[in-house]
Amino acid sequence: MVLLHSAVGADWQSPPKGTSLRTLNEAEEQGFILIRGEFQKRQFCLTERGAEHVARDRRRLAARKL
């Protein structure tokens, strides 16, 4: 979830420091992100499903604050 929330828009971007390959692969398998590149040059972007999931989760968190 931290990986998805760290995304700024749907453009290609580097994952946050400390993000494991396992985390990236799991998010990709679930259809939330696409991955390109290898090792230090690895990047990810949100898929439509990932962007919808993040938006829904942010609305849920905002509602809890009220």
Side-chain angles (χ1 to χ4, degrees):
M1 194 55 78
V2 173
L3 173 66
L4 299 180
H5 279 272
S6 72
V8 179
D11 294 331
W12 290 101
Q13 53 204 290
S14 298
K17 288 199 181 276
T19 304
S20 70
L21 180 58
R22 181 178 178 191
T23 299
L24 289 168
N25 286 337
E26 286 178 5
E28 185 179 40
E29 287 173 4
Q30 293 176 18
F32 293 133
I33 65 171
L34 297 174
I35 300 174
R36 74 176 182 188
E38 294 183 15
F39 306 108
Q40 286 79 17
K41 297 183 188 261
R42 184 166 280 127
Q43 293 182 318
F44 78 100
C45 72
L46 290 176
T47 62
E48 186 176 328
R49 180 178 184 201
E52 288 173 4
H53 184 79
V54 170
R56 189 178 330 115
D57 196 52
R58 286 184 177 154
R59 285 191 306 269
R60 182 185 61 82
L61 291 173
R64 288 181 68 186
K65 289 181 181 178
L66 296 177

